[in-house]
Amino acid sequence: MTEETVERGAAGMPEAPAPSADLPSYDDLEEAMRDVVDPELGINVVDLGLLYGIDVHGGSEDGAGPVVTLDMTLTSAACPLTDVIEDQARAALTQGPGGGLAKDVRINWVWMPPWGPDKITDDGREQLRALGFTV
């Protein structure tokens, strides 16, 4: 019987696949989402803290490009302008040079944790103060 050496821990694990050069970076996607403006406040959804997460999947169902899933919330669950924000997000990520950063966009509307003023970035606070809001 031959004794086999088994490596345990990280040394024995296969390497994680390298990120695909075809997939947009988180930073590029977040920057593109700064073009999506809350219609009521006039501040972008990133600085308002409405964008909770971004996930990029390898390709659309037809294999034509990456699909981006956004975890987003709204300042109010009763916001009547959800469609406007969805349309802006889709345009920001799928249009532009080379056809945009994504082939398709899906938005997962989430309500937990609930949005609050604590989610607003420092830049967002400055923009709101410039509009006359106290934050």
Side-chain angles (χ1 to χ4, degrees), residues 66 86 116 119 123:
E86 285 180 2
K119 307 250 187 295
D123 286 344

Side-chain angles (χ1 to χ4, degrees), residues 59-93:
S60 60
E61 291 177 12
D62 63 4
V67 175
V68 174
T69 300
L70 305 170
D71 288 336
M72 293 185 66
T73 195
L74 298 166
T75 55
S76 163
C79 178
L81 300 169
T82 305
D83 292 346
V84 173
I85 293 174
E86 285 180 2
D87 291 345
Q88 285 185 47
R90 183 161 280 102
L93 297 176

Side-chain angles (χ1 to χ4, degrees), residues 4-87:
E4 204 174 303
T5 303
V6 176
E7 289 188 55
R8 306 242 185 250
M13 298 297 295
E15 288 189 36
S20 171
D22 296 338
L23 297 180
S25 72
Y26 184 95
D27 290 341
D28 288 344
L29 293 165
E30 183 180 71
E31 186 61 33
M33 286 299 293
R34 290 182 187 280
D35 290 341
V36 179
V37 175
D38 181 282
E40 293 177 315
L41 296 174
I43 309 294
N44 72 74
V45 296
V46 174
D47 287 327
L48 276 178
L50 300 177
L51 181 63
Y52 283 3
I54 301 173
D55 189 30
V56 183
H57 308 279
S60 60
E61 291 177 12
D62 63 4
V67 175
V68 174
T69 300
L70 305 170
D71 288 336
M72 293 185 66
T73 195
L74 298 166
T75 55
S76 163
C79 178
L81 300 169
T82 305
D83 292 346
V84 173
I85 293 174
E86 285 180 2
D87 291 345

